[in-house]
Amino acid sequence: MASLSPCSMHAEEPLRSRLSGPLQPLATLATNLWWSWHPEAAAIFQAVDPERWESAGHNPVKLLRDAGPLRLTQVARDAALLGRAEALVHTLEADLARPFDTGSGASAERPIAFLCAEYGLHASLPIYSGGLGVLAGDVLKQASDSALPMVGVGLFYRRGFFHQRLDRSGWQHEWWATADPEELPVRLEVDAHGEPRLIELTLRGHPVVAQIWHVQVGRVPLFLLDTDVPRNQPVDRWITSTLYVGDRTFRVMQYAVLAMGGLRALQALGISPSVVHLNEGHAALAALELAREAVRSGLPFDRALAEARQRVVFTTHTPIPAGNEHYGQDEIMALLGDLPGELGIDRGKFLALAQPPDGPSFGVTELALRTSRSANAVSAKHGEVSRAMWRSLDVQITHVTNGVHAPTWIAPELQALLDRRLPPTWRSGDPRAWAAVESIPDGELWAVRGALRRGLVEFVRRKTVRDRLARGETIPYVEAAARTFDPDVLTLGFARRVAAYKRLDLLIRDPGRALALLQGPRRLQLVIAGKAHPSDDGAKRLVQRIFELKDAAGATGYVAFLEDYDLETAGQLVAGCDVWLNLPRAPLEASGTSGMKAALNGGLNLSVLDGWWPEAFDGTNGWGIPVGGQDEQAQDARDATTLYEILEREVVPSFHDRDAAGVPVGWVRRIKASLRIAGAGFTTARMMSEYVQRVYRAGK
Ligand SMILES: *Cc1c(COP(=O)(O)O)cnc(C)c1O
C-alpha cells in the first residue's frame, strides 16, 4: 500500500478491534475518507442500519461503534452486503496501489505539504467553517484522485465551528458540540513505544506541546495538531479547541501551532516537503519555521530565508483589506518573542517581514507574500483586485481559479447519467469529455433534474419538521412542514455566510415584488441557509428578517430557512435547486465555489458578475448581473432591480416554456451549457493540474 510516511506508526484503531473478522472491510472503508466521495460506500453503510446511519449523522465510525451486537451479527452473516463491501475495498486498494504522478517534481519522499486552518471533508468531521475549508477538503480529495504526492496539515478542533439554532423569533443562537476522537476516523500518531508523538514549540515564553492526529483521505494523509494534552497548562490545552472564535491571542497561537507545529510534526514523522503550500495567510509563519531549521544547522539567516522562500507558495483568498489580519507588534512579541533569537536576528528585522507599508503592525498576509516564492489569487477577477491591493509590496500575484471536486459534489443520480452518456474520462477531469453533454437526450436530463428537485423537497420537509420541533413550535405548525414545498415548482437556492457584503437582503429589498414572485400559478419557491458570525448582530437581524419571510401572506409553504448550514445541507441544496443565487457586492467575492457545485448538478447560476462567474458566464449558461462603480446604496438598488427583472422576464417564463412532452427545451439547453462549461473548467481536476504546472513545478 502506498504510504507517504513509511516510518509513521498509529495507535491501534479502536474500531477495528471491536468488529469481528467478516466486518473488517467495513472498518477499512469507514476509516478512510475515500468513502465520502464513493456513493456506493454510503449505500453500504446505510444498509448496515438505516435508522442509525441517520442518527449518527452519516458518520460510519460512529455507526459501527454504536450498532447493537445483534445487528452486527446479522450483518456479519449478510454475504451480499459484505461482498459489496469487499469489492469496494478492492477498488480502494487498487486506488492506493497506483504509482504517484511525479510530474509536479514532488515525490513520495518529498511531497507537497498543504497547510490550511480548516478542512471541509465531510459533515461528520467538523473541522471546517465554510468556503476555505471546503476548498481545502476538495484539494486533498483531488490530490488523491490525481495520485499527487501531497500531505495535508491542519488543526484538530474539539469544538470545531459553531452550530446555529434559531429561536421562534428567528434570532440566532450558537452552540458547540465536543468531538470525541473515538467517534471519528482519526488515529493518534505514536512512537515506537506506543506513546503519542509530541512536538513542542514556545508560546508566551514557555513550552507548549501538541499531539498529532492522522486522517486518511484516500491516498493523502492529513495531520491535525492538537494541544489538548494533559501535560499542557489549561490555557494551552484550549489553543486548538475552537475554529475562528476566541480572542486574538488564541488565534495567533493557533497560527503558530499550524505553521511551526505543523512543519515540526512532518519532520517528526520523517516527511520533508519539497513545497509548502499556504492556503490563506493563517500558516504564514511556515517559511520562518523552515528558515529556523536551516539556521540551527548553521546557515546565516538571510540565506536560510532565501532557501526557505524557494519552497513556499501562497494562495490568498481575501479581497477585502480588513479581511487580512493585522496584530500589534508588541502583541506578537509577547506570544512569539523567542522566535527572532532562534532565527539569529533582532526584533526589528523580524517585525519588518510582516510590516505593512502604512505603519507598524504585524500583517499575516504581508508576511506570507514576502516569504513565498509565488503568490496567487483564486479567480482572474480576484487576481486583479489582489494586485491592486498589494501593489505597494512589489510582489507578483497570479491567479489559479478555484474548482470543486466533481465526485463529491455531483449527485449520484447525475453521476450515473454522466457515466452512461459521457466518455469515462469525465471522471479523470478530461475537459473534452464534457462536450458530449450536448448529446444527452433532453428528456433524460430533465428527468434527473426532476428527481434531484424531489430529493431536495423531501430533505427540506424532513429538516423543517425537525427544526420546528426543536424550536418548540405548535404541533399543527410542525406537521404543516411535512407539506411545504412542491416538487414541481421552480426552486431557487441561496446559501452562504450571512455577512453584509453577501447581500442576502437584496432579495427582499422590494417586498411586494418578492412576494409576487412567490405567489400564483407560476410561483417559485425559495430555500435559504446561512450562519451569521456570533458577534455580528446586524447579520443576525438579517437572518431574522429572512426567517420571517417564510410566514408572509401568500408565501407560506414556499420559503424555507434551513438551520445550521453545513456540508450536508450544501450537498442537498446544490443538487436540487434549479437556480443558484449569488448577490455579493462586487468586487468582494474572491471566487465563490457553491455556484460551481450547482452548475455541475445542472443548476443555473443567477449571479453578480464577480468572483469566478465572469470567467464562466457566456450568456447561454445562466444569468449575470453586471457590476458598476456607483456607491453602495445605488449599487444595491440597481442590482435588486436587475435581479427582479431577470427573474420576472427570463427565469420564470423560460422554466414554464414546455414542449409537448413537458420538457422546457430552452431551459434544458441552458442546463447543458452550464454543465459543460463547469465540467470542463471549474473542477478541482482542472485546478490541481494548473497548480502542478504553474505553481508547484515552477520552482524547479
Ligand atoms: C461550497 C461551500 C461554501 C462556499 O460557497 P460560496 O459560494 O463561496 O459561498 C461554504 N459553505 C459550504 C458548506 C459549502 O459547501
Side-chain angles (χ1 to χ4, degrees):
M1 198 186 277
S3 163
L4 277 167
S5 46
C7 56
S8 140
M9 296 179 61
H10 314 121
E12 180 70 13
E13 272 173 15
L15 180 63
R16 203 171 280 286
S17 51
R18 288 170 53 101
L19 295 178
S20 69
L23 298 173
Q24 292 296 315
L26 293 173
T28 303
L29 293 173
T31 48
N32 188 328
L33 275 149
W34 185 88
W35 77 263
S36 68
W37 72 98
H38 292 83
E40 165 71 353
I44 291 169
F45 293 133
Q46 184 182 36
V48 167
D49 188 337
E51 182 71 23
R52 202 174 284 279
W53 177 238
E54 287 308 315
S55 64
H58 300 173
N59 173 348
V61 174
K62 186 162 165 56
L63 166 83
L64 296 171
R65 249 178 69 92
D66 295 354
L70 185 61
R71 182 62 202 138
L72 288 179
T73 311
Q74 286 167 340
V75 172
R77 289 200 212 102
D78 186 339
L81 186 60
L82 293 180
R84 282 167 67 192
E86 273 164 31
L88 200 58
V89 168
H90 286 309
T91 310
L92 166 61
E93 283 170 350
D95 191 0
L96 300 181
R98 286 180 300 146
F100 279 111
D101 180 343
T102 51
S104 61
S107 62
E109 295 73 38
R110 309 279 327 264
I112 297 153
F114 187 84
L115 273 58
C116 189
E118 51 167 316
Y119 289 89
L121 289 154
H122 187 261
S124 62
L125 186 60
I127 54 169
Y128 67 94
S129 78
L132 181 73
V134 177
L135 180 78
D138 279 7
V139 163
L140 299 192
K141 291 172 180 175
Q142 186 63 49
S144 177
D145 287 350
S146 302
L148 195 63
M150 181 178 270
V151 300
V153 177
L155 299 177
F156 184 69
Y157 306 100
R158 301 283 167 136
R159 305 204 311 161
F161 197 54
F162 74 89
H163 291 277
Q164 174 192 54
R165 190 181 67 74
L166 302 188
D167 64 23
R168 272 179 285 177
S169 80
W171 189 254
Q172 171 180 305
H173 301 262
E174 298 86 28
W175 59 279
W176 282 261
T178 303
D180 177 356
E182 294 227 344
E183 293 183 341
L184 295 173
V186 300
R187 298 167 294 188
L188 205 53
E189 290 286 349
V190 296
D191 63 18
H193 310 291
E195 294 298 319
R197 271 182 199 282
L198 297 178
I199 59 94
E200 186 178 304
L201 66 165
T202 306
L203 295 172
R204 295 190 298 148
H206 64 262
V208 173
V209 298
Q211 56 189 5
I212 309 160
W213 295 96
H214 181 131
V215 180
Q216 195 63 34
V217 185
R219 302 165 54 102
V220 175
L222 167 60
F223 301 107
L224 300 174
L225 281 92
D226 173 15
T227 63
D228 192 1
V229 176
R231 200 204 283 185
N232 281 334
Q233 297 177 12
V235 166
D236 298 329
R237 292 183 70 159
W238 193 251
I239 292 173
T240 54
S241 72
T242 311
L243 177 56
Y244 296 153
V245 181
D247 72 23
R248 301 155 57 84
T249 307
F250 275 114
R251 276 199 175 221
V252 176
M253 292 198 286
Q254 285 187 345
Y255 300 166
V257 173
L258 174 64
M260 297 162 60
L263 292 177
R264 285 174 207 189
L266 293 185
Q267 197 177 45
L269 297 168
I271 299 171
S272 173
S274 57
V275 175
V276 176
H277 185 167
L278 316 181
N279 195 42
E280 190 56 311
H282 308 127
L285 290 162
L288 292 181
E289 171 61 18
L290 293 176
R292 196 191 64 98
E293 280 173 29
V295 166
R296 255 184 21 165
S297 64
L299 233 52
F301 172 76
D302 289 336
R303 253 195 61 208
L305 184 62
E307 283 180 15
R309 196 173 169 277
Q310 283 312 309
R311 289 167 67 191
V312 178
V313 301
F314 170 49
T315 300
T316 174
H317 291 261
T318 315
I320 319 165
N324 293 284
E325 294 172 38
H326 289 93
Y327 296 89
Q329 294 184 330
D330 290 337
E331 199 177 1
I332 292 292
M333 289 309 291
L335 295 169
L336 305 175
D338 292 290
L339 188 52
E342 292 178 24
L343 291 166
I345 55 176
D346 63 21
R347 174 192 153 112
K349 186 160 180 169
F350 168 69
L351 291 173
L353 289 166
Q355 183 155 326
D358 63 358
S361 70
F362 192 95
V364 292
T365 311
E366 284 86 342
L367 177 60
L369 285 168
R370 288 201 185 101
T371 59
S372 49
R373 75 161 190 238
S374 96
N376 70 276
V378 291
S379 69
K381 179 92 184 286
H382 180 225
E384 289 166 26
V385 172
S386 300
R387 280 187 291 277
M389 201 159 99
W390 298 109
R391 186 169 298 135
S392 60
L393 286 196
D394 195 25
V395 290
Q396 296 261 322
I397 302 178
T398 59
H399 77 272
V400 176
T401 302
N402 282 343
V404 297
H405 184 242
T408 294
W409 290 105
I410 303 181
E413 297 92 324
L414 185 56
Q415 290 195 35
L417 173 63
L418 298 178
D419 283 336
R420 286 199 303 278
R421 295 290 180 180
L422 264 51
T425 51
W426 79 265
R427 285 197 171 270
S428 50
D430 173 13
R432 288 158 306 183
W434 290 89
V437 162
E438 296 295 344
S439 57
I440 300 175
D442 286 1
E444 217 173 304
L445 186 51
W446 186 241
V448 170
R449 286 298 315 159
L452 296 182
R453 190 185 317 101
R454 265 195 304 285
L456 172 61
V457 167
E458 279 159 24
F459 177 78
V460 168
R461 288 174 176 170
R462 277 199 310 275
K463 185 152 171 43
T464 308
V465 167
R466 279 201 311 269
D467 287 354
R468 285 185 185 176
L469 280 169
R471 278 201 297 271
E473 307 272 19
T474 65
I475 290 176
Y477 189 62
V478 170
E479 290 180 334
R483 300 183 296 275
T484 58
F485 268 50
D486 183 329
D488 296 318
V489 164
L490 169 60
T491 306
L492 273 61
F494 188 109
R496 42 189 38 85
R497 196 154 48 83
V498 183
Y501 81 90
K502 299 271 190 181
R503 297 194 302 180
L504 187 53
D505 50 337
L506 224 55
L507 277 170
I508 48 170
R509 211 181 148 89
D510 182 341
R513 226 163 153 182
L515 273 180
L517 282 162
L518 291 161
Q519 295 165 349
R522 291 190 158 192
R523 69 180 357 151
L524 50 82
Q525 58 195 2
L526 180 61
V527 51
I528 301 167
K531 296 174 175 177
H533 190 276
S535 57
D536 186 349
D537 278 1
K540 288 188 183 182
R541 276 191 293 276
L542 180 53
V543 167
Q544 197 167 33
R545 272 171 57 211
I546 295 285
F547 181 79
E548 282 161 2
L549 186 66
K550 73 189 192 324
D551 296 320
T556 309
Y558 293 90
V559 179
F561 188 101
L562 304 183
E563 287 179 23
D564 205 25
Y565 183 46
D566 68 353
L567 275 170
E568 158 97 15
T569 303
Q572 298 280 349
L573 290 180
V574 297
C577 286
D578 298 293
V579 175
W580 194 251
L581 295 169
N582 191 21
L583 307 168
R585 183 175 292 135
L588 300 184
E589 182 86 313
S591 164
T593 49
S594 58
M596 303 172 187
K597 301 166 191 167
L600 279 173
N601 281 289
L604 300 180
N605 281 277
L606 195 183
S607 170
V608 168
L609 283 159
D610 197 16
W612 75 291
W613 190 227
E615 280 167 75
F617 178 59
D618 71 354
T620 69
N621 58 340
W623 296 274
I625 298 177
V627 304
Q630 293 122 312
D631 66 61
E632 284 184 3
Q633 281 290 324
Q635 207 181 341
D636 291 359
R638 189 203 51 193
D639 291 355
T641 305
T642 312
L643 171 67
Y644 291 126
E645 278 172 3
I646 293 174
L647 287 171
E648 292 158 357
R649 293 181 196 166
E650 300 189 39
V651 175
V652 173
S654 171
F655 186 84
H656 290 96
D657 183 11
R658 307 289 170 104
D659 70 4
V663 176
V665 179
W667 190 277
V668 172
R669 202 179 309 125
R670 278 199 168 90
I671 291 178
K672 287 182 179 177
S674 177
L675 196 52
R676 180 169 47 73
I677 290 168
F682 296 92
T683 64
T684 43
R686 189 274 309 150
M687 177 181 95
M688 288 310 278
S689 75
E690 271 190 62
Y691 272 108
V692 166
Q693 306 292 332
R694 296 181 24 219
V695 177
Y696 300 150
R697 200 155 68 184
K700 297 287 159 312

